[in-house]
Amino acid sequence: MMIEIPQCFVVREECQKAASQSGFRRLLGEEGGWAAFGSTTAQGKIYLAACGALGPWFLALDHAGVIREVNFPEAAITGPGLVRFEFLALGELYRFLDRIYELDISLPDVPLKEFEKRTEKLPRGTEAERFVIQRIGQDIFRKSLLDYWQHRCPLTGISDPALLRASHIIPWADCKNDFERLNVYNALLLSALWDAAFDRALVTFDDHGIPEFSSSLSDQARFSLTWISPLRLTPSHRSRLVLHRARFSR
């Protein structure tokens, strides 16, 4: 399958529109029919190409962390980046790019860099000043976690922002550094009741994302903790949940 070299006006405009609306607004040039785009807020670059004005469309990625997160078949086409994907319709490409951007701005260490940028000149001498620093970190972390989990509790499907909580696996106070505190792999996005139970180690999760319930929970509480699907966990989540399960066992 041959991509168009160079891109015609329609393909070039569609690629720029798709990239821009998904958050990749920096046009970095075109080479071999692939247009490269970057972002001031996201890591890595994306590359877009097409066989013609009617498609199919192609996307190449160079961010290894994002690639590990996506579950989509690779296209048998050569080009830039580490992997390439094919889309028959522009709508499909748009939806995929939206997810790529969410991952790009939430995976380590983007939240840490944002935190350091926003707090580097702030005083930290008093308890009140340190509390301001902590609140900034927690706000950045919550936004990153919302992006990572696509703005909904993966267990219940609840998407009401007021009912969603950033649930640290290793508690904030026990983290060794800011990188761990702001790492999206050290937390789950849970609805309020699940967050309260998880925070107190009354529920935990096995390596398949299946909830495990403490015997100390009342029947009423256990009945209220409903869920519709298991968590989608990465190895980074699982390694931290080992420590949470130790708390749960105690």
Side-chain angles (χ1 to χ4, degrees):
M1 187 175 296
M2 299 293 293
I3 65 171
E4 187 176 70
I5 305 175
Q7 294 181 353
C8 70
F9 174 80
V10 173
V11 168
R12 184 169 62 251
E13 289 294 307
E14 290 291 0
C15 286
Q16 291 183 16
K17 182 180 177 182
S20 178
Q21 291 192 10
S22 301
F24 296 93
R25 299 185 175 90
R26 295 175 57 219
L27 175 60
L28 304 177
E30 178 190 334
E31 184 175 351
W34 292 88
F37 300 89
S39 170
T40 57
T41 54
Q43 301 181 89
K45 297 187 290 289
I46 65 168
Y47 307 82
L48 295 174
C51 289
L54 299 179
W57 304 85
F58 298 96
L59 165 68
L61 301 177
D62 68 357
H63 189 313
V66 171
I67 292 167
R68 285 193 294 269
E69 290 280 348
V70 297
N71 183 23
F72 200 83
E74 296 181 25
I77 186 172
T78 59
L82 300 175
V83 296
R84 288 149 296 280
F85 307 99
E86 178 181 351
F87 305 89
L88 298 179
L90 273 172
E92 188 180 17
L93 172 64
Y94 270 72
R95 288 189 292 273
F96 196 79
L97 278 174
D98 285 341
R99 181 57 180 154
I100 296 304
Y101 183 74
E102 287 177 337
L103 291 170
D104 258 318
I105 63 174
S106 63
L107 294 184
D109 57 352
V110 173
L112 177 62
K113 289 180 178 178
E114 175 67 15
F115 173 72
E116 291 173 341
K117 178 181 178 181
R118 289 175 55 181
T119 62
E120 62 179 344
K121 296 181 180 180
L122 295 181
R124 303 168 186 251
T126 68
E127 183 176 349
E129 290 167 345
R130 290 191 293 272
F131 178 74
V132 170
I133 298 291
Q134 179 176 324
R135 285 302 303 269
I136 291 173
Q138 290 172 339
D139 289 345
I140 292 171
F141 181 69
R142 175 178 168 83
K143 180 182 181 303
S144 298
L145 206 63
L146 285 165
D147 286 328
Y148 179 82
W149 290 105
Q150 297 181 278
H151 297 261
R152 65 179 59 248
C153 170
L155 276 175
T156 63
I158 290 174
S159 59
D160 305 62
L163 299 179
L164 297 176
R165 303 287 185 272
S167 304
H168 271 85
I169 300 172
I170 299 172
W172 181 279
D174 295 341
C175 292
K176 295 179 180 180
N177 49 51
D178 289 334
F179 175 80
E180 188 68 7
R181 294 185 185 97
L182 300 171
N183 192 326
V184 293
Y185 292 124
N186 183 35
L188 308 171
L189 185 69
L190 300 177
S191 57
L193 182 60
W194 277 97
D195 168 68
F198 184 76
D199 182 61
R200 292 161 180 77
L202 294 172
V203 298
T204 192
F205 301 93
D206 67 16
D207 282 346
H208 301 290
I210 303 295
E212 297 180 356
F213 298 91
S214 170
S215 59
S216 63
L217 281 172
S218 67
D219 291 341
Q220 184 179 16
R222 171 64 183 84
F223 180 78
S224 298
L225 288 165
T226 58
W227 57 287
I228 58 176
S229 61
L231 296 175
R232 180 187 56 80
L233 299 174
T234 67
S236 296
H237 289 115
R238 295 187 186 103
S239 64
R240 292 170 173 85
L241 279 168
V242 169
L243 301 176
H244 190 270
R245 286 197 290 269
R247 288 178 54 207
F248 175 82
S249 298
R250 291 195 297 270

